[in-house]
Amino acid sequence: MDWRISECCIIYHISRIVCLSKVPLYNLLWLLCIPMSTFENNVLPQMEKYLPDYEIYHNLSRIQAHLEDIVSRNPNYFRIDWSYTSRQSQPQLVLRMTNFTDGRSIRVTSETVPNPKLKILLSFGEHAREFLPVESMFYLLQNITSGLSLPEEWPGFKYSRSILSKIDLFVVAMMNPDGRRYVENTGNYCWRGTSTGVDINRNFDWNYGAKGSSSDVNDEEYRGREVFSEPECLVLIDLTTRYKFDAFVSFHSGIRQIYVPFADTYSKKIQRKPENIVKMLELAETVAAASVKKFSYGLAYQLNDYTADGTVFDYMAGKRKIPFSFAIELWGEGDTSKSKCFDLFNPQSYRLQEALQEIHPLYVTLFDYLIHWQEKQIETLSDPSKEAPSLTFGLLLLIAVIICFGFVAVHNRLPTCMRLYPRRRIVSLRSLSSTFSVLRPYKM
Ligand SMILES: *[C@@H]1O[C@H](CO)[C@@H](O)[C@H](O)[C@H]1NC(C)=O
Ligand SMILES: *[C@@H]1O[C@H](CO)[C@@H](O)[C@H](O)[C@H]1NC(C)=O
Ligand SMILES: *[C@@H]1O[C@H](CO)[C@@H](O)[C@H](O)[C@H]1NC(C)=O
Ligand SMILES: [Zn+2]
């Protein structure tokens, strides 16, 4: 029973219908909606502390235009795929960034062959009201593209060249364009879901439907009618079917935390850990340490007192077996009693640039760690002795055995008085085998 939609509150029902419909009249009904928004966990609008300045924050149409501009200026390094769309047919803007002209961004189909270039998949904009992660993506792209226009000997150019030659980066720039459009059109900065109110990050096929999600369409953690009910999920399913990714990150905001899988209720119960847990924690620790602001990190079900079922990053680790899978919340102080919606997830416009500068080292460190990991993978495959010290050990053992044999051979030729031990009677193999035949257990 959900007390939030109990029959007693007729005004709540009315305001809900009005708030959630897209009629322009909506704006006049602010006052009606505000008292209702004290209901916990809903996605009704609130009287915000501050709102985004769209001269600074990108709105949806500027997100698209900016990406198109980057691609058209740098055709050798950026491509955009328009084929993935939302329920309302808006593009999800899949950007791919690498040096396409060096011929190394090929597709690897074998499980055992490493990608010649590190393949990373980043997902932005799952939650409509979290504007900040998309802004940090633009900051990253700006860093790479502006490096390209510098003289070749400058560190900025060298950095961009190195990233483009070592990484094949896939970016889903806007997972949930319908939700984002809804936020912009209605001014409801509490909206998190898709056009049907589904939380994409509870709609994936990993412990789907359990209690770390909601069946209530008004709840911010509404999981949808069935697993993968949202067409927006398809882009991530499809990309991870077509390519073998080394790493996946789903970006969010609201607090500063790096989550390692798993987050789901069942994993918490059985204390399940992903295969690559040691490396994942090491990466999380490294990335957290690179930040100016304090980040916490760890297994999601240990870090949080709540569990989350059907999340994207659990699915990528558990079902897709991507060796590195994270959810990273880039900004915020967590949900305090004083926070409304926009301010809970996004800095004030005039402080955006400063926040993005602080966040940038996280990407740099993430890439850096993964590049080294990848180089080691390739190294150990071309020179297996590095990975397997047991081989070196085996060689030493062989030498020791040869020396022993030599010693015994020489020793047996010495006169008896000079030997370390007298010659013993040698048990013949035949007598041994007859001993064993007696002991051999009876089998029918
Ligand atoms: C997006 O913002 C720009 C200005 O930054 C504005 O010109 C444009 O009309 C906005 N688009 C929408 C759909 O609101
Ligand atoms: C991309 O690769 C091509 C071919 O190897 C090379 O000539 C070019 O300098 C590379 N671009 C950058 C920015 O490194
Ligand atoms: C991009 O970021 C890297 C890493 O922080 C830095 O070394 C490089 O100079 C930056 N490039 C530009 C053009 O600012
Ligand atoms: Zn989120």
Side-chain angles (χ1 to χ4, degrees):
M1 163 64 197
D2 194 329
W3 57 270
R4 269 173 278 139
I5 43 173
S6 61
E7 306 70 30
C8 62
C9 193
I10 290 165
I11 192 168
Y12 170 62
H13 279 287
I14 297 166
S15 71
R16 202 181 79 205
I17 291 158
V18 177
C19 292
L20 297 186
S21 67
K22 290 170 201 162
V23 287
L25 188 72
Y26 165 86
N27 287 320
L28 302 172
L29 291 155
W30 262 109
L31 291 174
L32 187 64
C33 297
I34 292 158
M36 295 306 113
S37 59
T38 51
F39 291 96
E40 204 194 346
N41 266 359
N42 66 30
V43 287
L44 293 174
Q46 300 193 25
M47 182 62 91
E48 295 288 349
K49 277 196 202 157
Y50 53 81
L51 293 170
D53 173 354
Y54 283 116
E55 294 301 314
I56 294 172
Y57 274 97
H58 290 76
N59 58 18
L60 193 54
S61 54
R62 269 184 65 222
I63 290 173
Q64 185 169 322
H66 194 167
L67 288 173
E68 281 178 293
D69 183 57
I70 290 172
V71 174
S72 69
R73 282 170 196 267
N74 306 278
N76 288 339
Y77 309 116
F78 292 89
R79 285 178 193 164
I80 196 159
D81 185 343
W82 298 95
S83 64
Y84 301 100
T85 52
S86 65
R87 191 186 296 277
Q88 295 175 345
S89 307
Q90 297 196 86
Q92 289 174 297
L93 306 168
V94 179
L95 187 79
R96 186 170 173 187
M97 179 186 97
T98 191
N99 187 346
F100 290 103
T101 59
D102 66 12
R104 291 173 60 242
S105 43
I106 51 164
R107 212 169 95 188
V108 172
T109 45
S110 163
E111 279 296 312
T112 48
V113 178
N115 290 313
K117 274 191 193 182
L118 190 64
K119 274 201 169 40
I120 304 180
L121 175 59
L122 307 180
S123 156
F124 293 90
E126 286 163 30
H127 291 148
R129 63 200 180 184
E130 296 167 26
F131 285 27
L132 179 96
V134 177
E135 300 300 327
S136 84
M137 173 201 75
F138 277 116
Y139 193 94
L140 171 68
L141 297 180
Q142 175 72 25
N143 167 268
I144 304 294
T145 53
S146 58
L148 287 173
S149 56
L150 294 172
E152 288 204 11
E153 63 281 3
W154 285 36
F157 179 83
K158 287 183 182 156
Y159 181 75
S160 296
R161 180 165 63 193
S162 154
I163 292 295
L164 293 167
S165 69
K166 290 174 180 162
I167 303 182
D168 188 3
L169 184 72
F170 290 68
V171 174
V172 182
M174 187 40 74
M175 261 298 271
N176 176 16
D178 298 351
R180 176 59 175 255
R181 185 164 68 182
Y182 180 81
V183 168
E184 289 176 19
N185 287 351
T186 62
N188 177 0
Y189 287 92
C190 295
W191 190 260
R192 162 165 153 133
T194 60
S195 57
T196 49
V198 174
D199 179 350
I200 289 181
N201 205 28
R202 300 291 182 277
N203 196 229
F204 272 68
D205 187 15
W206 182 260
N207 206 37
Y208 174 81
K211 73 171 201 274
S213 65
S214 171
S215 59
D216 175 2
V217 67
N218 300 299
D219 192 288
E220 63 174 20
E221 289 184 73
Y222 176 49
R223 66 174 86 105
R225 271 194 323 237
E226 58 185 349
V227 69
F228 291 142
S229 61
E230 299 314 282
E232 287 82 0
C233 300
L234 182 69
V235 59
L236 293 183
I237 300 168
D238 194 52
L239 288 175
T240 53
T241 308
R242 284 167 55 197
Y243 300 97
K244 190 183 80 163
F245 286 101
D246 300 296
F248 169 80
V249 186
S250 152
F251 286 100
H252 297 262
S253 65
I255 197 165
R256 292 185 179 87
Q257 281 184 340
I258 301 169
Y259 302 110
V260 171
F262 294 100
D264 68 283
T265 312
Y266 184 66
S267 293
K268 181 173 187 161
K269 192 176 155 211
I270 63 166
Q271 295 286 296
R272 171 163 48 197
K273 294 183 174 90
E275 273 167 41
N276 197 28
I277 180 72
V278 175
K279 289 274 165 204
M280 271 201 251
L281 283 172
E282 189 180 80
L283 193 162
E285 183 186 2
T286 314
V287 169
S291 165
V292 186
K293 290 272 163 65
K294 188 184 176 307
F295 265 78
S296 41
Y297 66 93
L299 276 173
Y301 63 67
Q302 286 173 358
L303 208 55
N304 284 336
D305 47 10
Y306 66 89
T307 55
D309 296 302
T311 65
V312 186
F313 81 117
D314 273 2
Y315 172 81
M316 292 303 175
K319 283 269 164 82
R320 291 309 203 195
K321 306 281 180 203
I322 297 181
F324 293 91
S325 177
F326 302 94
I328 303 184
E329 302 226 28
L330 291 169
W331 183 91
E333 307 300 333
D335 200 354
T336 64
S337 54
K338 277 180 267 158
S339 52
K340 301 298 178 194
C341 284
F342 192 75
D343 64 300
L344 173 53
F345 304 102
N346 313 286
Q348 262 168 295
S349 302
Y350 78 94
R351 303 193 68 176
L352 178 62
Q353 199 61 14
E354 176 194 339
L356 298 180
Q357 266 166 23
E358 283 173 2
I359 289 168
H360 187 63
L362 270 78
Y363 292 101
V364 177
T365 319
L366 176 81
F367 292 160
D368 198 50
Y369 181 99
L370 289 169
I371 286 168
H372 284 108
W373 172 82
Q374 164 85 348
E375 281 169 355
K376 246 187 215 154
Q377 296 282 106
I378 293 173
E379 220 174 80
T380 50
L381 263 176
S382 54
D383 182 5
S385 67
K386 291 213 168 119
E387 172 71 346
S390 58
L391 253 178
T392 327
F393 178 72
L395 199 68
L396 285 176
L397 201 69
L398 190 69
I399 293 167
V401 167
I402 290 168
I403 291 171
C404 277
F405 265 102
F407 172 76
V408 171
V410 171
H411 187 257
N412 285 347
R413 281 164 183 262
L414 294 172
T416 318
C417 60
M418 287 175 73
R419 289 186 192 166
L420 292 175
Y421 52 86
R423 190 187 288 270
R424 290 221 190 96
R425 199 174 71 91
I426 292 167
V427 180
S428 84
L429 275 179
R430 268 189 70 184
S431 70
L432 263 180
S433 76
S434 66
T435 318
F436 284 137
S437 69
V438 173
L439 294 173
R440 197 177 297 151
Y442 176 76
K443 276 189 194 157
M444 54 174 279

